[in-house]
């Protein structure tokens, strides 16, 4: 099975485990889409911005001396966007509805990011 298909499988499982998840996207740290479970348009822009958020977040943690990045969570009036480093080369972005259980989102997001990282490492 190719990388895109395996990542899509993980993203579908994420949505099944947490019904508040609207969708997710896996992209390279350069902002290129690998696999997307997002509805509608704007996937390329989401991938590019996800890579930028990851880079900025990693830099902030380094400057602040707070260790390695685990996640970045952005809260908006219409829901949440969570960003995870899935290994050294992939960003996993998860979009969720308002009222989402953030503990569950963080737990499932990290679990999916670890799976994505493991799949990517096997495929290299």
């Amino acid at each position: 099975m190719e990388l895109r298909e395996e990542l899509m499988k993980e993203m579908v499982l994420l949505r099944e485990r947490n019904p508040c998840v609207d969708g997710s996207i896996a992209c390279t740290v350069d902002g290129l889409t690998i696999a997307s479970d997002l509805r509608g348009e704007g996937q390329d822009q989401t991938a590019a911005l996800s890579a930028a958020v990851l880079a900025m977040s990693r830099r902030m943690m380094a400057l602040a001396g707070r260790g390695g990045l685990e996640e970045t969570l952005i809260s908006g009036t219409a829901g949440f966007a969570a960003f995870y480093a899935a290994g050294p080369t992939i960003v996993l972005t998860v979009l969720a509805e308002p009222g989402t259980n953030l503990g569950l989102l963080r737990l499932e997001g990290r679990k999916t990011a670890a799976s994505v990282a493991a799949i990517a490492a096997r495929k290299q």
Side-chain angles (χ1 to χ4, degrees):
M1 193 179 313
E2 77 177 55
L3 178 62
R4 181 188 172 286
E5 292 171 339
E6 287 193 52
L7 297 188
M8 280 299 299
K9 203 168 153 183
E10 288 299 320
M11 291 188 286
V12 168
L13 287 172
L14 170 64
R15 191 191 297 246
E16 290 173 356
R17 289 191 310 260
N18 190 341
C20 289
V21 169
D22 288 328
S24 55
I25 188 168
C27 63
T28 67
V29 293
D30 297 327
L32 302 174
T33 302
I34 300 170
S36 177
D37 184 38
L38 297 178
R39 297 174 245 247
E41 298 180 25
Q43 293 177 20
D44 290 338
Q45 294 88 346
T46 301
L49 287 172
S50 295
V53 167
L54 181 79
M56 181 187 69
S57 298
R58 281 181 168 164
R59 182 74 177 134
M60 181 64 197
M61 295 307 290
L63 283 172
R66 300 292 182 220
L69 175 70
E70 290 185 352
E71 70 191 5
T72 299
L73 178 66
I74 298 175
S75 175
T77 58
F80 303 92
F83 305 85
Y84 302 90
T89 61
I90 298 178
V91 183
L92 175 68
T93 300
V94 181
L95 303 180
E97 303 171 353
T100 294
N101 176 329
L102 294 180
L104 182 60
L105 176 65
R106 294 178 74 200
L107 179 72
E108 293 297 341
R110 288 178 185 180
K111 181 178 179 180
T112 302
S115 294
V116 165
I119 291 166
R122 275 197 330 263
K123 295 292 181 178
Q124 289 182 1

